[in-house]
Amino acid sequence: MKETPLSNCERRFLLRAIEEKKRLDGRQTYDYRNIKISFGTDYGCCIVELGKTRVLGQVSCELVSPKLNRATEGILFFNLELSQMAAPAFEPGRQSDLLVKLNRLLERCLRNSKCIDTESLCVVAGEKVWQIRVDLHLLNHDGNIIDAASIAAIVALCHFRRPDVSVQGDEVTLYTLEERDPVPLSIHHMPICVSFAFFQQGTYLLVDPNEREERVMDGLLVIAMNKHREICTIQSSGGIMLLKDQVLRCSKIAGVKVAEITELIQKALENDQKVRKEGGKFGFAESIANQRITAFRMEKAPVDTSDVEEKAEEIISEAEPPSEVVSKPVLWTPGTAQIGEGIENSWGDLEDSEKEDEDEGGSDEAIILDSIKMDTGEVSNIGSQDAPIVLSDSEEEEMIILEPDKNPKKIRTQTISATQVKAPSKKPVKKRKKKRAAN
Amino acid sequence: MAMEMRLPVARKPLSESLGRETKKHLVVPGDTITTDTGFMRGHGTYMGEEKLIASVAGSVERVNKLVCVKALKTRYHGEVGDIVVGRITEVQQKRWKVETNSRLDSVLLLSSMNLPGGELRRRSAKDELAMRGFLQEGDLISAEVQAVFSDGAVSLHTRSLKYGKLGQGVLVQVSPSLVKRQKTHFHDLPCGASVILGNNGFIWIYPTPEHKEEDAGGFTANLEPVSLADREVISRLRNCIISLATQRMLLYDTSILYCYEASLPHQIKDILKPEIMEEIVMETRQRLLEQEG
């Protein structure tokens, strides 16, 4: 499948951000992404994660006859494969250019640098030598495949153990893993590739570009170095013109980065060694952390509604009809009126103290209520004082302020849009708990 | 700066909130659709062991004796007469390759392109050399499907003044199955922006041009800065379309408009929050149901 093209907006955005020394994931110009190395149960199997780019490396060995012109040297074989799960653009037949370039670079980095002692791989000169095969698979492509692949290759090689062989005269004995412990490969140094991406014709550079940055870059410079600051391979692609001091600066940066990465690799190898020796658990399954997401889930409480109807009917039939409430506004003094009757106050002792508070709050309410009522606009004149209308959406209980010497009134719960009060002559003094704006 | 954090919550399935009367017959690959052998099999099905089995995940559609499965998540399948919005990926000898979210890149032949000024003449070698001046890699165009090749590739044409290069606006990519087929796909919404609903799932939102330029032929890109009010309308529309697409609602001018109106009380950036998204889409669904029946 062809990869989706990058829109002009996104391209411009990335380039502008790089000009302002900003990267999308918040890294600095010379920062690497998080490198995570995990080992499998077999010797020589490892997965390297550089951010989201993942490479699986596996080393295997075999006894073969050597090459004719190199009778005393072992054979090294490197192979990098871009798996189809790495990116939608990788298809079985389609990836030739990138694949060739990566394979070539990897070979130059590992083979030509002589990091592995091939002489030590010889068993019987001219007849039997070890063939070491390094297979790398790209599992996920998020930019900078070459760095991740080179780290995976060297880590797998360092981790690998080949079966022990002893030669007595003409007798060659190959010991199995049970008979004798396997022997590590003899590795002189660890070359690691560091990639530099250049933008705007070499003006800006970034270390460890991710996939988006790779799409907009002009050129790529790869320097393979070991921790002794020896350059093993250097390659510039993309056709940009680099100045001498730029290349020198990059090599200095590469030196620093390689030292850090080598330290990380050593630590990872030591850890794995320790775990295996102590008999602890090792392997890929252990290195994958148990990710638990605590999900809030509102459990649906099952409600049995089968007999609701009958119960409701029972309640309705048994209940008394609601009493007729005739509301008559009573004007006590100009500015103080009372409408309606409530049910008996059941507060007991609190009655006396509460009433005093209510009286004080009452006068303020009157003015506020007045303005609210006038906004409603619908004032219908009923005519007599006998049937005032209160228009309110308030579903709250209305507490009627009780005069101490009057009969205790009942608190009435008001329903929506019942009646409308006539302003301004009658100003009901009510203490409402939460009054919503009357419609 | 105010930050918002939210904890992961298990998402409740959509069907609970839908309450649809007409349940669609949904199938996954391998499901048996019917054991009745009297049906003709259409797209998305195959015959196996005396029964009709689905090969894609989608809803079963039946027209008389033809049974087919319409996939829910699929690439765009071109049909003659569709309006598409595409992006130029390559400039080749006498044609452009356009990316339209289909299996193969669509093709826009130089001869199917409107020359600026609307003149009709044979395309010469000079036109071929000037191709890059019209459309470059990365440009967005609106076009109509002229023909479909045997391998499924689509051939486009812009032989009308309403098609052509798109100027300033916002592109939203949704699944092609969500765009409703209608008489016209170019809408001028009353809220102040215009929208092109491409059948391939690319939706283009742009500010309504004040006057229709007849002579342009759709090639001159208007690069004047767009006013803030227009930008806000366009961002709100974009978020509304994304929320409709997330809730798997069909996209057409009415649904987008209702969703826009339902989203007005909220801030533009709040529309993408899951709760508010559900609320807005529920209201839209309600209004659409009221409007229908």
Side-chain angles (χ1 to χ4, degrees):
Chain A
M1 216 161 66
K2 202 153 181 210
E3 56 185 25
T4 40
L6 206 61
S7 56
N8 290 347
C9 292
E10 215 173 339
R11 188 181 296 268
R12 251 179 286 138
F13 175 74
L14 283 164
L15 288 172
R16 279 274 291 278
I18 291 168
E19 278 169 35
E20 296 175 14
K21 304 266 193 292
K22 291 198 174 83
R23 293 175 88 160
L24 277 188
D25 44 8
R27 286 186 280 157
Q28 298 296 315
T29 326
Y30 301 140
D31 278 353
Y32 253 83
R33 287 171 281 180
N34 267 344
I35 303 179
K36 180 165 171 261
I37 303 174
S38 49
F39 296 95
T41 43
D42 290 338
Y43 279 115
C45 185
C46 75
I47 289 187
V48 171
E49 289 176 47
L50 177 62
K52 291 214 187 111
T53 306
R54 302 178 80 193
V55 179
L56 167 77
Q58 172 75 59
V59 178
S60 51
C61 64
E62 204 188 335
L63 273 175
V64 294
S65 26
K67 291 203 179 105
L68 292 169
N69 50 350
R70 302 243 189 260
T72 52
E73 284 183 13
I75 304 176
L76 284 173
F77 184 68
F78 300 98
N79 183 32
L80 169 70
E81 273 177 25
L82 303 175
S83 161
Q84 274 88 65
M85 63 172 137
F90 294 155
E91 270 173 36
R94 262 267 212 114
Q95 340 144 25
S96 26
D97 279 352
L98 181 64
L99 195 60
V100 167
K101 178 179 156 205
L102 292 170
N103 268 311
R104 219 29 223 115
L105 190 51
L106 213 61
E107 280 208 21
R108 277 167 47 203
C109 165
L110 293 166
R111 195 201 296 275
N112 297 6
S113 63
K114 305 231 188 309
C115 58
I116 301 176
D117 184 11
T118 43
E119 300 271 352
S120 67
L121 296 174
C122 177
V123 177
V124 178
E127 284 177 30
K128 287 272 175 234
V129 296
W130 283 112
Q131 180 194 43
I132 304 290
R133 193 196 156 96
V134 182
D135 284 302
L136 299 160
H137 292 265
L138 180 69
L139 299 177
N140 192 36
H141 176 31
D142 195 30
N144 204 4
I145 303 174
I146 189 62
D147 283 14
S150 74
I151 298 176
I154 203 65
V155 165
L157 283 166
C158 289
H159 192 246
F160 179 64
R161 306 271 181 274
R162 63 166 173 83
D164 197 6
V165 179
S166 71
V167 183
Q168 274 134 349
D170 277 339
E171 284 259 332
V172 177
T173 339
L174 176 65
Y175 296 106
T176 59
L177 294 164
E178 288 88 34
E179 290 172 12
R180 273 213 207 164
D181 275 341
V183 167
L185 297 174
S186 143
I187 296 180
H188 295 306
H189 60 96
M190 297 207 270
I192 294 177
C193 294
V194 177
S195 305
F196 299 87
F198 286 94
F199 304 87
Q200 311 282 42
Q201 308 307 316
T203 331
Y204 304 99
L205 89 82
L206 289 179
V207 174
D208 185 21
N210 67 13
E211 207 245 334
R212 290 282 124 154
E213 289 159 357
E214 268 188 2
R215 286 227 213 169
V216 299
M217 71 180 173
D218 286 338
L220 186 72
L221 174 70
V222 180
I223 301 181
M225 224 190 224
N226 60 24
K227 73 167 185 216
H228 309 292
R229 302 181 63 91
E230 296 167 333
I231 291 184
C232 309
T233 306
I234 186 162
Q235 172 176 309
S236 161
S237 55
I240 36 153
M241 317 270 266
L242 288 174
L243 301 169
K244 187 174 67 178
D245 59 332
Q246 271 178 320
V247 179
L248 277 174
R249 199 156 39 103
C250 288
S251 62
K252 286 201 187 76
I253 299 168
V256 171
K257 292 295 162 193
V258 165
E260 288 169 13
I261 296 176
T262 312
E263 208 183 293
L264 191 77
I265 294 177
Q266 300 281 29
K267 236 192 302 182
L269 285 165
E270 272 165 30
N271 269 351
D272 183 69
Q273 183 82 327
K274 200 166 64 168
V275 170
R276 278 175 204 260
K277 204 185 290 196
E278 288 166 6
K281 293 214 188 125
F282 50 87
F284 289 134
E286 296 308 313
S287 53
I288 298 174
N290 259 345
Q291 290 170 337
R292 260 179 243 284
I293 299 178
T294 336
F296 291 125
R297 183 193 287 264
M298 300 287 287
E299 290 295 337
K300 288 185 280 190
V303 175
D304 188 15
T305 55
S306 48
D307 55 346
V308 159
E309 268 195 50
E310 290 121 10
K311 278 195 186 155
E313 279 172 21
E314 275 175 34
I315 295 171
I316 291 172
S317 56
E318 285 168 17
E320 299 161 2
S323 51
E324 282 285 311
V325 177
V326 179
S327 44
K328 282 179 252 189
V330 183
L331 183 67
W332 302 110
T333 63
T336 310
Q338 178 199 329
I339 292 184
E341 302 176 350
I343 36 177
E344 201 162 283
N345 192 338
S346 56
W347 281 9
D349 291 343
L350 298 172
E351 233 179 11
D352 300 325
S353 51
E354 286 282 39
K355 273 193 220 146
E356 286 152 16
D357 292 300
E358 286 157 9
D359 280 78
E360 284 156 20
S363 48
D364 300 336
E365 300 279 21
I367 307 157
I368 301 163
L369 288 171
D370 198 2
S371 55
I372 292 170
K373 289 292 187 292
M374 294 224 249
D375 286 345
T376 59
E378 283 178 37
V379 182
S380 60
N381 211 324
I382 304 303
S384 69
Q385 294 181 5
D386 294 318
I389 309 164
V390 171
L391 195 73
S392 165
D393 267 350
S394 172
E395 293 160 357
E396 308 301 332
E397 286 193 15
E398 284 175 34
M399 269 264 298
I400 310 300
I401 291 104
L402 305 178
E403 299 294 305
D405 50 350
K406 292 283 185 277
N407 303 334
K409 306 289 192 311
K410 301 192 178 74
I411 299 172
R412 178 186 74 172
T413 48
Q414 187 177 39
T415 51
I416 298 173
S417 61
T419 44
Q420 185 187 14
V421 74
K422 236 200 299 188
S425 56
K426 296 175 191 0
K427 297 192 185 72
V429 177
K430 290 181 198 166
K431 181 166 181 149
R432 294 179 198 238
K433 285 176 201 157
K434 260 197 284 175
K435 184 188 190 308
R436 289 207 328 222
N439 270 359
Chain B
M1 188 179 76
M3 264 213 310
E4 199 194 280
M5 291 169 66
R6 50 179 64 227
L7 298 166
V9 180
R11 206 156 41 138
K12 59 180 202 286
L14 258 185
S15 54
E16 285 175 7
S17 42
L18 275 187
R20 231 204 285 254
E21 316 84 27
T22 51
K23 284 268 181 228
K24 282 194 185 177
H25 183 195
L26 296 172
V27 289
V28 290
D31 267 359
T32 317
I33 303 173
T34 173
T35 42
D36 189 353
T37 49
F39 288 109
M40 284 197 297
R41 53 171 207 84
H43 288 301
T45 65
Y46 66 96
M47 204 57 144
E49 306 164 17
E50 299 293 316
K51 36 187 192 174
L52 209 56
I53 304 178
S55 61
V56 290
S59 57
V60 177
E61 317 236 315
R62 192 184 74 93
V63 179
N64 295 341
K65 282 266 181 196
L66 179 69
V67 172
C68 61
V69 182
K70 198 169 95 125
L72 289 172
K73 182 178 170 189
T74 169
R75 293 229 159 207
Y76 168 61
H77 296 289
E79 296 195 20
V80 181
D82 280 353
I83 313 276
V84 294
V85 170
R87 197 184 286 279
I88 308 286
T89 50
E90 283 177 44
V91 181
Q92 293 183 346
Q93 259 203 321
K94 275 208 190 66
R95 57 200 193 164
W96 288 273
K97 286 279 188 185
V98 182
E99 194 244 337
T100 52
N101 198 21
S102 41
R103 285 204 206 95
L104 294 166
D105 272 345
S106 310
V107 160
L108 175 62
L109 297 172
L110 177 58
S111 46
S112 319
M113 159 75 72
N114 241 6
L115 288 173
E119 33 181 298
L120 299 169
R121 58 174 169 78
R122 207 186 167 85
R123 310 285 188 262
S124 61
K126 217 168 79 164
D127 288 316
E128 212 176 308
L129 294 170
M131 272 175 82
R132 204 169 276 273
F134 298 151
L135 295 173
Q136 277 200 320
E137 286 95 338
D139 284 344
L140 278 170
I141 56 159
S142 68
E144 193 181 320
V145 174
Q146 189 178 41
V148 179
F149 295 123
S150 48
D151 55 2
V154 156
S155 173
L156 305 170
H157 77 88
T158 55
R159 275 195 167 287
S160 169
L161 291 174
K162 60 181 180 179
Y163 305 126
K165 184 153 85 167
L166 299 173
Q168 300 193 71
V170 171
L171 181 75
V172 184
Q173 297 180 345
V174 302
S175 170
S177 51
L178 290 176
V179 179
K180 188 172 178 180
R181 251 174 229 273
Q182 287 192 293
K183 241 172 44 167
T184 164
H185 290 254
F186 292 76
H187 303 286
D188 282 338
L189 298 175
C191 45
S194 304
V195 73
I196 303 180
L197 297 162
N199 284 94
N200 60 338
F202 284 11
I203 298 176
W204 178 251
I205 315 170
Y206 60 107
T208 316
E210 270 98 45
H211 45 272
K212 302 284 180 190
E213 288 160 5
E214 287 302 325
D215 56 335
F219 279 109
T220 54
N222 185 11
L223 289 174
E224 282 168 19
V226 179
S227 66
L228 184 62
D230 279 344
R231 276 178 207 253
E232 289 189 352
V233 170
I234 291 176
S235 326
R236 192 178 277 278
L237 270 174
R238 182 238 180 216
N239 281 358
C240 286
I241 291 179
I242 288 185
S243 52
L244 284 172
T246 319
Q247 302 278 326
R248 313 300 294 180
M249 278 209 60
L250 269 186
L251 292 165
Y252 51 107
D253 54 347
T254 321
S255 71
I256 296 176
L257 195 59
Y258 284 172
C259 192
Y260 179 86
E261 287 167 10
S263 75
L264 282 173
H266 302 277
Q267 275 203 320
I268 300 179
K269 56 182 188 233
D270 288 339
I271 300 177
L272 293 175
K273 294 188 192 151
E275 320 82 48
I276 301 187
M277 200 191 280
E278 274 176 31
E279 192 189 307
I280 294 176
V281 174
M282 191 100 52
E283 201 182 313
T284 314
R285 206 174 263 134
Q286 195 100 14
R287 273 185 77 178
L288 286 171
L289 280 176
E290 279 170 29
Q291 189 218 22
E292 282 170 32

